[in-house]
Amino acid sequence: MLYSRIAGTGSYLPEQILTNADLARRVDTSDEWIVSRTGIHSRHIAAPDEMTSDLACKASLAALESAGVAASEIDLIVVATSTPDMIFPSAACILQDKLGVHGFPAFDVQAVCAGFAYALATADQFVRGGMAKTALVVGAEVFSRILDWNDRRTCVLFGDGAGAVVLKASDEPGIIMTKLKADGRYRDILATPGGVANGEVVGTPFLHMDGQAVFRFAVKALAELASETLDAAGMTAADLDWLVPHQANVRIIESTAKHLHLSMDKVILTLAHHGNTSAASIPLALDEAARAGKFKRGEHLMLEGIGGGFAWGSALLRW
Ligand code: ACO
């Protein structure tokens, strides 16, 4: 049987750091409010000339180096993003060009904060089906560009960044199980509803959110998904060594950990200094923990993400 396995990880965070104190000078908020409600202390903001594909490229080069894989060996690129450089071409095609390679499939997936779970599951299916042997899977975002910086309810939550993994075909897992879900009935509780028509922006191009509805939905959906994923793999929470969750809110993460009876020192937390980087948050957390030497070969990791759509997804893997 053919599986896919993560052979290397990489990430990139823009240079500029925006602290809660910086935000408190712009809007009516405080470090105390932001930290107690979300766990976020600071986030990175891309420079005006830095595009999603630039962030993706830096994360990808780091992932390729850690995997010991040359760009010329890649035969699939999947980029998860809701903030691509432009309407088209895709960030994945632009990334392909920036990496100096061509001739194989490259495309974006758009599942907001669940984007990396969707991209990883897609690439895993390509590898299992024999359509790719060495896939580059990236989550990259510049959410700072779709925020209303006068709206304290949302501007304190997000940051920019990118994370990437190299997935290689393998005789053994690797990725054991992925699960993807969506429920479009909840599309209005978290959205950036603007579009472009006739040379103009139609609707609002800023992110808006019903924070409490999102919170309630996320807590329930992530707990159910974690259990379903483990059940489908014939495993229990006791088999898990690490949870690498989407980094939106420490209270949502604590609730998932509690459901899994996992102590918080087995949960990778990066949101304090990344904020919510949407599709980039899981691969950023994965790379930071991998580089810190946290994961040992053979350990079991659960990745989980949820966001606008609503869309959510998981991956269970052996490191
Ligand atoms: N600073 C100070 N006060 C604020 C701020 C802020 N940044 N934002 C909101 N408030 C105020 C509100 O105006 C409100 O004041 P009022 O009572 O005078 O009207 C008060 O704080 C309480 O507002 P709530 O929205 O009820 O605050 P809540 O405790 O729900 O916390 C939060 C808000 C942090 C957004 C929470 O609902 C949450 O974490 N929701 C999940 C959202 C999330 O994680 N989104 C990320 C994207 S989705 C995803 O990735 C899963």
Side-chain angles (χ1 to χ4, degrees), residues 7-274:
T9 64
S11 62
Y12 172 74
L13 289 162
E15 220 171 277
Q16 190 200 338
I17 295 173
L18 188 69
T19 65
N20 292 348
D22 295 331
L23 280 166
R25 284 189 283 276
R26 287 189 189 191
V27 288
D28 183 13
T29 190
S30 64
D31 179 57
E32 194 279 328
W33 193 97
I34 302 170
V35 173
S36 65
R37 303 286 175 121
T38 70
I40 299 166
H41 292 255
S42 62
R43 67 290 287 146
H44 292 249
I45 304 292
D49 61 349
E50 252 182 336
M51 306 303 281
T52 290
S53 63
D54 295 317
L55 275 52
C57 189
K58 287 183 173 148
S60 297
L61 290 172
L64 288 167
E65 194 187 351
S66 95
V69 164
S72 58
E73 293 174 59
I74 303 168
D75 54 10
L76 171 69
I77 295 179
V78 187
V79 175
T81 187
S82 300
T83 49
D85 297 15
M86 54 190 76
I87 291 175
F88 69 82
S90 66
C93 284
I94 300 171
L95 172 64
Q96 196 192 45
D97 182 42
K98 287 184 176 170
L99 290 171
V101 289
H102 58 269
F104 54 83
F107 58 91
D108 291 357
V109 301
Q110 211 271 46
V112 203
C113 303
F116 188 75
Y118 268 69
L120 192 67
T122 304
D124 177 53
Q125 290 300 321
F126 268 72
V127 172
R128 281 180 190 236
M131 284 178 72
K133 285 194 168 62
T134 309
L136 181 61
V137 187
V138 187
E141 302 276 19
V142 286
F143 258 52
S144 62
R145 298 198 183 140
I146 54 167
L147 296 176
D148 175 354
W149 287 99
N150 296 313
D151 178 8
R152 67 177 183 173
R153 292 168 303 163
T154 51
C155 75
V156 302
L157 301 175
F158 296 90
D160 301 337
V165 304
V166 174
L167 266 194
K168 288 193 79 169
S170 161
D171 294 335
E172 51 181 68
I175 295 181
I176 298 167
M177 172 72 54
T178 58
K179 277 215 170 285
L180 301 178
K181 304 253 183 183
D183 190 338
R185 288 174 301 175
Y186 294 88
R187 65 197 166 96
D188 290 331
I189 62 173
L190 177 57
T192 301
V196 175
N198 306 318
E200 286 178 12
V201 174
V202 179
T204 168
F206 295 124
L207 180 148
H208 79 81
M209 175 179 71
D210 177 345
Q212 293 195 1
V214 167
F215 192 93
R216 282 193 301 273
F217 191 96
V219 162
K220 186 165 178 290
L222 288 173
E224 284 171 5
L225 182 65
S227 297
E228 258 183 58
T229 310
L230 287 166
D231 284 352
M235 291 169 63
T236 70
D239 298 316
L240 273 188
D241 296 293
W242 297 99
L243 177 66
V244 188
H246 169 50
Q247 310 281 316
N249 184 307
V250 73
R251 293 181 298 144
I252 296 176
I253 295 172
E254 282 167 352
S255 154
T256 310
K258 195 170 162 205
H259 175 78
L260 291 168
H261 305 290
L262 211 58
S263 76
M264 283 304 285
D265 57 359
K266 290 294 181 186
V267 179
I268 306 303
L269 278 181
T270 54
L271 94 164
H273 301 294
H274 295 176

